[in-house]
Amino acid sequence: MAHLEVNLEHVTILVADPHDGSRRIVGEMLHALGARNVIAVTTVEAAREVLGGECVDLMICDYRLSEGKGAAFISELRADRTNLARSIPVLITCSHTRLRDVQAARDCGANMVLVKPHSVTSLYDRLAWVAHRPRPFVSSSGYNGPSRRFRDDASENRPARRKDDDPIGDEAGDAAVEPARASVG
């Protein structure tokens, strides 16, 4: 994915992380990748305030934001049909790699999970993936967020795992599928 270019110069990125060092490092990585407008916050409340008053194009949120409420915050954001930031791309960072933490990070509605510590390359690859491979936004009774069913280029020539597989697939029988908002790049 590193060969695809992403231009972050005019992208507003919200970095929500309670740890000073992580927030600073991610901000520096984003600036090195060309981002000019990075907003850093330390709590869910501050993130809500920014999302309510700024036009944010992308959020990078720590799983443990506000004492472990980062995933719940993303779920809440995704479920709020009145919030204009509902469908922005969200990368969730997670320093604990226990399966249940990674699954919870995925299931909250994040576009991608990025395990800490991460490199500039891995951050860039996730940003490029989100920018160049947007997934439809799914709303159902049990999940709101980008479709969790997606394939990478390497698997496109493989047979479908399910008889009724399609490129989009839906998360639940009563799901509503909306176009994805891909403002990165």
Side-chain angles (χ1 to χ4, degrees):
M1 186 57 69
H3 65 278
L4 295 175
E5 291 191 28
V6 178
N7 183 350
L8 300 176
E9 185 176 356
H10 301 292
V11 176
T12 300
I13 303 169
L14 174 60
V15 177
D17 194 312
H19 308 288
D20 292 336
S22 294
R23 215 175 34 257
R24 184 182 47 76
I25 289 168
V26 170
E28 288 174 5
M29 287 179 176
L30 291 168
H31 286 293
L33 293 171
R36 302 277 184 259
N37 193 10
V38 177
I39 303 166
V41 298
T42 60
T43 65
V44 165
E45 294 75 23
R48 271 193 200 108
E49 188 175 322
V50 170
L51 290 171
E54 298 265 345
C55 182
V56 174
D57 300 304
L58 168 79
M59 180 168 59
I60 300 173
C61 181
D62 185 75
Y63 180 77
R64 301 261 179 231
L65 185 66
S66 293
E67 298 173 9
K69 297 177 185 165
F73 168 60
I74 294 169
S75 292
E76 174 188 309
L77 173 68
R78 296 301 200 200
D80 184 357
R81 294 179 186 269
T82 64
N83 194 319
L84 297 176
R86 175 182 193 222
S87 63
I88 65 169
V90 175
L91 300 181
I92 190 163
T93 58
C94 185
S95 57
H96 299 283
T97 56
R98 293 181 304 228
L99 181 60
R100 71 172 187 234
D101 291 333
V102 175
Q103 286 173 332
R106 176 203 65 203
D107 291 343
C108 72
N111 293 69
M112 288 281 170
V113 177
L114 187 59
V115 177
K116 292 179 180 179
H118 50 80
S119 66
V120 174
T121 302
S122 63
L123 176 60
Y124 186 84
D125 286 348
R126 296 317 184 286
L127 293 171
W129 184 281
V130 167
H132 293 286
R133 293 202 169 47
R135 293 178 278 150
F137 193 91
V138 176
S139 290
S140 70
S141 59
Y143 175 76
N144 293 286
S147 176
R148 292 177 286 193
R149 291 178 63 191
F150 64 95
R151 297 184 187 126
D152 62 13
D153 289 342
S155 67
E156 286 182 12
N157 295 327
R158 295 181 190 161
R161 292 185 343 191
R162 296 174 187 89
K163 183 171 58 174
D164 62 342
D165 266 354
D166 60 26
I168 296 174
D170 67 351
E171 299 293 324
D174 63 344
V177 178
E178 304 169 18
R181 178 178 166 192
S183 57
V184 179

